[in-house]
Amino acid sequence: MRQPDLAAVLSDVRSGLIPAHVYNDPEIFALERERLFSQAWVFLAHESEIPAPGDYVVRRVLADSFIVARDEGGEVRVLFNMCLHRGMQVCRAEMGNASHFRCPYHAWTYRNDGRLVGLPFHAEAYGGEDGFARQGQALLPAPAMARYNGLIFVSLDPGAPPLPEFLGDFAFYLDFYTRQSPAGVELRGPQRWRIKANWKIGAENFAGDSYHTPHTHASVVDIGLFREPTASKRKEGALYTAGPGAGTTYKLPAGGDFASGLSYVGYPDAMIGAMARAWSAGQRALVGDSGFMVSAATLFPNLSFVHNWPQIDATGTVVPFISLRQWQPVSERETEVLSWFAVDAAAPEAFKRDSYKAYLMCFGSSGMFEQDDVENWVSITDMAGGSMARRLKLNSRMGLTSSGRPVKPPMTRFAGPGTAYQGFGEFNQRHWLAQWSDHLEAGPAR
Amino acid sequence: MTADRPLPYGDPAHLAAHQFLVEEAALLDAGDYAGWLGLLDEDIRYLMPVRVTTGRGAGFDSLADMGHFDEDLYALRKRVQRLATEHAWTEDPPSRTRHFITNVRTFRNGTATLRVESALLLFRSRGDTRAPDLVSAGRTDLLRETADGLRLARREITVDESVLRTQNLAVFL
């Protein structure tokens, strides 16, 4: 893409007018690969997916396949899944337990910490260490790897800022989804499926689109599955941006406190006590004093979260669930969705069972919310690939006056960090798109 | 109690089970979900584990604790109710589906229950221009013989892909 064209696109995006073709444009996708995914911290896996030595899962950052393994010493390793010799994948399963990975091509063998330990006919073929120094050879590690609450992130940029610096104020919100007790969260799954949609649409939607909920998800209100997402309730929620993340909340019933708010969404007393101990005063205040419960969120670039509390049986039992999901780009017009069910590791077994049921009914490959979301996103992507889309700028200025000021001022009574607005607005999507624009503007990785 | 050989194809129980599956597929392809619910037993469990790619020696190729579906009658009724609303956008316009059922084998499973294994190929067409989706799966069903005829008490769907290539499971398998 020519530089003046890119500059015009990014200028439009920053003004809240999105050239529609960015949702299905191979040149934009190439820039995302070169300038965004080459640098950003990207989620790969959670430690609970590889609890024992030898456990591994294989995950990707775009086309790059990584083995995320727990080695024999218990350390988490992220290894580029390509043999040093001829480049074959040393692991072609997506999960399992192995002390070593042996390349099927010439049997070069690596321990699960990445070290090369087997090289057939080393002496005869190479003349031993002189011809090929086996000592110190290892599968390429991810250029940068770091963890938060057991979430394993990598960056392809060895000079990436430290993960805590990157997460910044969003860590405050991340704890609601991934640290409800000192035991932390456990992930199950993921369900994986491919959709003919651009990856950005889901990321933006989860970041802040409370406006779509009353209409896109009208059917789940119609059938009494989830009582909240009516327009009258959704517009009482707060939208927040914090660090590289942004999310939506629901307003809890007035007059409640920390415990009653969590009880309202279906948490049992034992879990509420654990949350009170696990969370900071500020985190407790967001629920107890400000009266907001987190719902959807996105951590830039492509990891999203959702926390809802549907009715899971005919007697109206309300049970909350958490899902983590990744929008893994395949191309400008296709995305692989990875959707995990997440639950506090210390939660009672009965709660885990019910929460899993709540998740399956609402989100994931068969979820009744997700079904309608994906239909929208596929349709948008389809339209964005044509020539008329290059003449259309999608209005993403909700919540702003013509002069660019917020229609309503930011909230002052919101206990979380960052900036929050109550009611409908596209503040969060613009916040996500501003980061996207920064990456596309910045040029190739160092 | 499961017999290890399928019933002969001429066995009345096999013929009844086979007919049940074909009639069920006809209801699904006609979008007659209320009729379909009528074929389910009160304690139905409708299960579709997530399939995973693992090595031969791994000892598992699906996730024990995560499915695409793990439904009881309440959950299935909600799904059907949703499709009947005016706001189930993903199925309006509806998918055109064809459930191809084949390789049916019936096993006597106790006195009043049949275990039926079948192969399913679901063809799903959405919209006028999109490429169609295919979902291939094996199914293991428990059919209960009741006074009103056979009822589906359990279905386990073993999907043949670890990454589904259909935009959602707003359809039944």
Side-chain angles (χ1 to χ4, degrees):
Chain A
M1 176 173 278
R2 295 189 313 125
Q3 184 55 37
D5 295 343
L6 176 63
V9 166
L10 298 180
S11 170
D12 283 338
V13 168
R14 287 201 164 101
S15 72
L17 297 170
I18 308 168
H21 66 87
V22 305
Y23 295 110
N24 189 345
D25 184 329
E27 290 185 309
I28 292 286
F29 187 70
L31 288 170
E32 290 169 347
R33 185 173 56 233
E34 292 159 18
R35 300 185 175 187
L36 197 167
F37 287 97
S38 62
Q39 295 184 316
W41 282 106
V42 177
F43 175 74
L44 276 194
H46 187 266
E47 284 194 54
S48 63
E49 297 182 271
I50 48 169
D55 286 349
Y56 69 87
V57 294
V58 176
R59 299 274 157 77
R60 289 178 299 114
V61 178
L62 299 190
D64 293 323
S65 171
F66 291 97
I67 305 168
V68 186
R70 191 175 291 278
D71 71 19
E72 300 306 303
E75 283 297 306
V76 173
R77 307 280 183 168
V78 181
L79 309 167
F80 180 48
N81 186 13
M82 192 172 189
C83 183
L84 300 178
H85 175 220
R86 292 299 302 163
M88 172 125 187
Q89 287 172 287
V90 298
C91 181
R92 290 164 300 136
E94 63 180 284
M95 57 169 44
N97 183 285
S99 60
H100 295 75
F101 298 100
R102 179 186 296 139
C103 179
Y105 203 171
H106 303 95
W108 285 32
T109 302
Y110 304 85
R111 282 172 56 125
N112 57 12
D113 61 7
R115 278 184 289 164
L116 176 65
V117 293
L119 196 164
F121 306 106
H122 188 211
E124 295 93 325
Y126 290 93
E129 288 291 300
D130 179 54
F132 182 86
R134 189 171 60 183
Q135 286 290 334
Q137 296 285 344
L139 293 171
L140 296 186
M145 188 274 279
R147 287 169 284 175
Y148 181 82
N149 287 353
L151 302 162
I152 301 163
F153 293 87
V154 298
S155 171
L156 302 188
D157 179 2
L163 183 67
E165 190 180 303
F166 167 71
L167 292 176
D169 282 342
F170 187 69
F172 176 98
Y173 299 96
L174 208 40
D175 290 349
F176 289 114
Y177 302 97
T178 57
R179 192 169 181 276
Q180 293 186 333
S181 82
V185 76
E186 62 186 32
L187 264 60
R188 295 191 207 163
Q191 301 163 323
R192 297 168 62 193
W193 73 105
R194 290 196 174 195
I195 64 177
K196 302 285 189 200
N198 185 269
W199 69 278
K200 296 189 286 296
I201 307 172
E204 286 183 66
N205 176 280
F206 276 70
D209 197 336
S210 59
Y211 185 63
H212 88 293
T213 321
H215 190 64
T216 290
H217 302 304
S219 67
V220 298
V221 179
D222 291 345
I223 63 170
L225 180 65
F226 192 33
R227 61 195 163 180
E228 311 293 344
T230 58
S232 60
K233 283 203 176 181
R234 209 65 267 229
K235 71 180 170 58
E236 297 306 314
L239 305 167
Y240 67 84
T241 57
T248 73
T249 66
Y250 280 102
K251 188 89 177 96
L252 291 164
D257 59 14
F258 179 77
S260 72
L262 287 161
S263 180
Y264 172 78
V265 304
Y267 285 104
D269 290 346
M271 293 183 73
I272 295 171
M275 290 181 220
R277 290 187 293 277
W279 291 344
S280 68
Q283 287 167 326
R284 291 194 300 273
L286 182 65
V287 177
D289 300 339
S290 308
F292 291 102
M293 187 64 66
V294 296
S295 184
T298 294
L299 169 61
F300 185 86
N302 66 336
L303 181 65
S304 293
F305 305 83
V306 61
H307 175 233
N308 281 351
W309 39 97
Q311 300 182 10
I312 63 153
D313 59 30
T315 61
T317 307
V318 170
V319 178
F321 71 87
I322 294 166
S323 172
L324 272 64
R325 55 256 328 291
Q326 187 163 40
W327 318 105
Q328 171 77 253
V330 176
S331 72
E332 67 278 5
R333 59 177 63 220
E334 187 170 24
T335 299
E336 183 173 318
V337 189
L338 293 88
S339 179
W340 292 264
F341 166 63
V343 67
D344 178 46
E349 285 306 314
F351 177 85
K352 290 183 180 180
R353 184 192 64 227
D354 291 347
S355 186
Y356 172 60
K357 181 178 182 184
Y359 162 73
L360 283 183
M361 291 182 75
C362 293
F363 277 87
S365 46
S366 68
M368 286 185 261
F369 279 80
E370 192 123 32
Q371 289 176 11
D372 289 322
D373 281 327
V374 174
E375 175 71 11
N376 294 344
W377 305 343
V378 169
S379 179
I380 293 165
T381 304
D382 194 23
M383 285 301 94
S387 66
M388 285 299 286
R390 293 185 176 268
R391 308 182 198 192
L392 178 61
K393 292 175 185 172
L394 304 171
N395 190 301
S396 182
R397 289 179 55 85
M398 191 192 307
L400 294 181
T401 64
S402 61
S403 61
R405 284 196 302 276
V407 172
K408 287 196 289 186
M411 296 175 69
T412 53
R413 297 165 66 89
F414 186 82
T419 305
Y421 295 91
Q422 194 164 15
F424 296 130
E426 285 164 333
F427 301 99
N428 296 9
Q429 293 93 317
R430 291 191 294 272
H431 174 263
W432 190 95
L433 286 163
Q435 295 175 81
W436 178 82
S437 298
D438 289 346
H439 276 278
L440 263 59
E441 198 160 57
R446 282 154 280 181
Chain B
M1 284 296 290
T2 299
D4 57 359
R5 284 167 179 272
L7 296 174
Y9 291 167
D11 190 291
H14 170 76
L15 293 172
H18 193 170
Q19 181 158 9
F20 178 92
L21 295 185
V22 173
E23 295 297 327
E24 182 205 4
L27 290 175
L28 290 174
D29 290 337
D32 182 357
Y33 298 119
W36 179 70
L37 285 177
L39 299 180
L40 310 183
D41 217 339
E42 284 291 317
D43 64 349
I44 175 85
R45 184 157 181 228
Y46 182 89
L47 193 63
M48 180 173 172
V50 167
R51 205 80 188 273
V52 286
T53 303
T54 54
R56 271 187 198 282
F60 70 101
D61 65 1
S62 64
L63 298 182
D65 59 0
M66 174 57 77
H68 295 288
F69 284 116
D70 189 348
E71 311 291 297
D72 60 12
L73 190 57
Y74 169 79
L76 291 172
R77 277 190 178 137
K78 283 294 167 196
R79 292 179 184 279
V80 168
Q81 277 178 30
R82 192 187 93 78
L83 292 170
T85 71
E86 294 177 354
H87 305 120
W89 313 117
T90 192
E91 283 298 314
D92 188 6
S95 298
R96 287 169 294 266
T97 66
R98 194 70 59 191
H99 290 71
F100 295 90
I101 313 290
T102 184
N103 301 11
V104 178
R105 297 193 301 159
T106 305
F107 302 80
R108 177 58 67 184
N109 195 59
T111 50
T113 310
L114 301 171
R115 190 182 95 242
V116 188
E117 297 181 359
S118 60
L120 165 75
L121 185 64
L122 173 70
F123 176 90
R124 183 186 189 191
S125 175
R126 292 205 42 66
D128 52 351
T129 58
R130 296 186 200 171
D133 305 331
L134 290 172
V135 181
S136 171
R139 304 187 305 183
T140 301
D141 298 337
L142 287 184
L143 298 183
R144 206 166 275 157
E145 292 165 326
T146 76
D148 299 324
L150 292 172
R151 290 291 178 272
L152 182 64
R154 179 186 165 92
R155 169 163 292 164
E156 181 160 346
I157 301 154
T158 304
V159 65
D160 294 325
E161 286 174 304
S162 64
V163 180
L164 303 183
R165 288 164 202 270
T166 191
Q167 70 178 31
N168 57 35
L169 291 170
V171 292
F172 300 104
L173 299 165

